[in-house]
Structures are given as structure tokens and as C-alpha cells.
Amino acid sequence: MGRRNITQVSDFILMGLTDSAEIRLVLFTLFLLIYLITVLGNVGMILIIRLDPQLHTPMHFFLRHLSFLDLSYSSVITPKTLDNLLTSKKNISYLNCFTQMYFFVFLGATECFLLSSMAYDRYGAICNPLHYQVVMSTRRCCSLVFGSYLIGFMDTSVNVLCLSRLHFCNSKIIYHFFCDGPAILALSCSDTHDIEIIIFISAGSTLVVSLITISVSYVSILSTILKITSTSGKRKAFSTCASHLLAVTIFYCTMIFTYLKPSKSYSLGKDQVASVFYTIVIPMLNPLIYSLRNKEVKNALNRVIKKRKDSK
């Protein structure tokens, strides 16, 4: 069937966000600025964590991988979006479309479970501080990260395999600015009911399992914080997980709004706004959230800058 699809539809047309040349120019400038901040912020975060020995901790080990995922996540979508905004050519080949979708789902699913691993790390740091180094050993941290990537690979393989079996009957206009699952499903002339169920179960399981892990971790963290008698102790304990909690809230709210619903309820305007937020804006926000609200990262940045000046 996959071969038959390629024969029928060799490429797709991404309609993008707007037909207005003036608005496209404004969006191009805005998205380019956001993308540059995203690249600088995430690359900077990776380098700071790598260069400063005091940040060689489990939490920052996960944060380094989160920055890598955000950088990759944005790079899968934004450059093609910028190209479409700047030029009148909006074609994307069948292969490139499914490749983009493959990495988009892979990175998104991986980030879900990486955020779960980070929640488990905060649970160990606050609820079991005396055994934190044992609980979050190097081996366990590597296993959690490897498991996140493995689940992401399995999730995206199921999604892309299902969608590649669809017939498009020469329908090639995608009413979106990138190759997203719901937009591809809406384009198909095949019966998508069974495929929708499989994808819904796959995506829903990823979101639900990771959310349960995060929820259980934070219920335990909240319970422990409430038992602390001093106000300063409570504030210090909460500040260690505030950045992660904010990042989780933003990421999951947009994901749930967009994907945990039938494809028939696909809304061009609302879904595109949500998609812009989690594909372009969130990868920029995460390094800002973790650097501005994390004293260790800010102190590490000052140390790296000072070390560079001293070396000169």
C-alpha cells in the first residue's frame, strides 16, 4: 500500500499559516527570531552543563538531554516553516513529509518520558535526599534516558507505519504548516477509523503513562514539602522543582489540547495556534525557564564567563 501511495501522491502542498504576504513576512521575522533564541538558548545550556563540573548532577544530565530534544524538535519543523513563509513554493515530497513526521513524533514522545524521568529525579532529591546519589546513580540515569528514546522510537514507528498505509487519491493539500498526524488523516480518502484508534491508543498511552508518573512523583513531593516545618525549608524545596513543574504544565496542556481528540474535530485555526506554541515557542521557553529560575545554572554561567575572562 505504501508503494501505491507514493505512486498516487509524490508530494504534498503545505498551505501554511496565512496567504497574506504582509503577515507571512511578519511571521517569518518573528519565527526566525524565536528560532535563533531557541538555538542559542539550548546550545548554551548544553555547553554550560558540559563545561561546569558543578552541574554534573542527575538533574542537569536530564536537562542537557531536554535541551538537545528541544533543539532537534524545533529544527525539524521551523526551517521548513521559514522556507514556506519566505517563498511561494510550498511543496514537500512524500518522503520528506513522512520523515518530518517521524522525527516530530519521536522527539515529542521522547520528551514526554524524559520529563517523567526528571519528575522522578525531583522525587528522589526531595523525598529521599539521604539516598539520592544511590537512587539516581549514573547507571539509572542513563537507563531512564535510553528508555525515553526507546519508547519514542516505538511510538513514532507505530504512528508512521499506520499513516503510510493510507490512500490519498491525489489529494495533496495539507492545511497545516508541517506534516502533522491529524492533518494527514484529514487528507486521506481511506477509512481511517482503525488507524485513528491505534494512533489514539499509542499517543494516549504515552501521555497518560508519563502524566501518571509525573503526578505520583509530585503528590509525594507535595506531601513531603507540607511536612517541612520551616517556611524557608518549604520555599527551598519547592524552588528545586518549580522550573520543571512549569515546563511540564506548558508542554502537556498544549499536547492534550491538540492530540487527545478525534481527527474529525480538527480545527484549522485553533490547532495551528496550539501547534505553533509547542513546536516553535516551547523549545525557546524551556532554556529560559530553567536558566532564569535556576540559581545553579545562573551561577554556572557566571563562573564560565569569569573563567573565560581570566584565561584571556
Side-chain angles (χ1 to χ4, degrees), residues 10 35 47 80 82 88 93-94 102 106 115 125 141 151 208 223 225 244 257 260 267 277 286 293 300 306:
S10 61
Y35 183 61
L47 290 176
K80 180 60 180 174
L82 291 173
S88 58
S93 69
Y94 181 95
Y102 180 91
F106 168 67
L115 290 171
C141 289
I151 293 170
V208 170
S223 177
I225 290 175
H244 177 259
F257 172 80
L260 288 190
S267 169
F277 196 73
N286 279 342
R293 297 187 61 87
K306 185 178 179 181

Side-chain angles (χ1 to χ4, degrees), residues 112-180:
C112 284
F113 282 93
L114 187 66
L115 290 171
S116 300
S117 300
M118 294 174 76
Y120 178 71
D121 170 73
R122 293 300 82 205
Y123 161 78
I126 295 173
C127 301
N128 201 4
L130 296 178
H131 299 93
Y132 176 64
Q133 295 300 328
V134 177
V135 172
M136 298 305 298
S137 62
T138 302
R139 183 175 180 179
R140 179 163 294 181
C141 289
C142 291
S143 297
L144 288 170
V145 169
F146 175 77
S148 299
Y149 283 101
L150 180 62
I151 293 170
F153 169 76
M154 293 168 61
D155 197 5
T156 193
S157 297
V158 171
N159 275 263
V160 173
L161 183 62
C162 288
L163 291 171
S164 66
R165 297 173 67 85
L166 293 173
H167 295 286
F168 298 103
C169 305
N170 294 320
S171 300
K172 53 194 301 183
I173 299 176
I174 299 176
Y175 292 96
H176 215 322
F177 63 94
F178 72 101
C179 293
D180 196 14

Side-chain angles (χ1 to χ4, degrees), residues 2 31 33 50 59 65 69-71 73 109 133 142 163 168 173 176 182 219 225 241 263 278 312:
F31 289 171
L33 179 62
R50 184 171 181 81
M59 180 183 74
H65 280 276
L69 287 175
D70 283 334
L71 178 62
Y73 196 71
Q133 295 300 328
C142 291
L163 291 171
F168 298 103
I173 299 176
H176 215 322
V219 167
I225 290 175
C241 56
S263 67
Y278 70 75
K312 290 181 180 179

Side-chain angles (χ1 to χ4, degrees), residues 236-299:
K236 184 179 179 181
F238 182 74
S239 65
T240 62
C241 56
S243 299
H244 177 259
L245 190 58
L246 179 60
V248 164
T249 303
I250 294 171
F251 181 80
Y252 277 93
C253 284
T254 52
M255 280 290 191
I256 291 171
F257 172 80
T258 306
Y259 291 110
L260 288 190
K261 60 184 180 181
S263 67
K264 298 301 180 185
S265 63
Y266 176 76
S267 169
L268 181 61
K270 292 180 181 179
D271 285 321
Q272 283 194 343
V273 171
S275 298
V276 166
F277 196 73
Y278 70 75
T279 57
I280 298 175
V281 178
I282 287 180
M284 176 194 69
L285 291 179
N286 279 342
L288 295 176
I289 290 170
Y290 282 101
S291 60
L292 295 177
R293 297 187 61 87
N294 192 315
K295 290 183 179 179
E296 292 177 339
V297 173
K298 287 191 285 187
N299 292 337

Side-chain angles (χ1 to χ4, degrees), residues 198-215:
I198 294 171
I199 293 176
F200 184 85
I201 291 172
S202 176
S205 299
T206 298
L207 286 172
V208 170
V209 171
S210 57
L211 268 177
I212 288 174
T213 305
I214 292 169
S215 300

Side-chain angles (χ1 to χ4, degrees), residues 185-196:
L185 280 169
L187 186 65
S188 175
C189 60
S190 309
D191 181 10
T192 61
H193 180 262
D194 292 342
I195 291 176
E196 281 186 55

